[in-house]
Amino acid sequence: VKRLFFVYADKHAHAWLKHIDRSQIDMGSGDRALVPGGRLHPIYRITVPADLVQQEHTDGA
């Protein structure tokens, strides 16, 4: 639940996120899966629907 909470908080860019020390929150170890066939979130290590994982932007630099 903690991982999913942060996936949504990041997606919606909540202003209060900057006040949370994520290093103090135990998210466990290992990967988790919410849905089969989704994408693994690179930070929170949970497989979620692809639209919840922000695409990396490359500018060719």
Side-chain angles (χ1 to χ4, degrees):
V1 172
K2 294 174 194 177
R3 296 177 192 215
L4 187 58
F5 173 83
F6 281 109
V7 167
Y8 276 104
D10 283 352
K11 178 171 177 59
H12 296 288
H14 287 289
W16 46 261
L17 270 175
K18 63 185 173 194
H19 300 288
I20 296 178
D21 183 1
R22 296 178 206 188
S23 69
Q24 297 298 312
I25 299 173
D26 181 13
M27 302 238 194
S29 62
D31 294 345
R32 303 289 190 266
L34 180 63
V35 295
R39 293 191 56 208
L40 183 65
H41 193 283
I43 298 170
Y44 302 113
R45 308 302 299 172
I46 183 171
T47 302
V48 293
D51 61 327
L52 293 179
V53 179
Q54 186 176 21
Q55 296 291 327
E56 292 183 31
H57 298 286
T58 57
D59 58 2

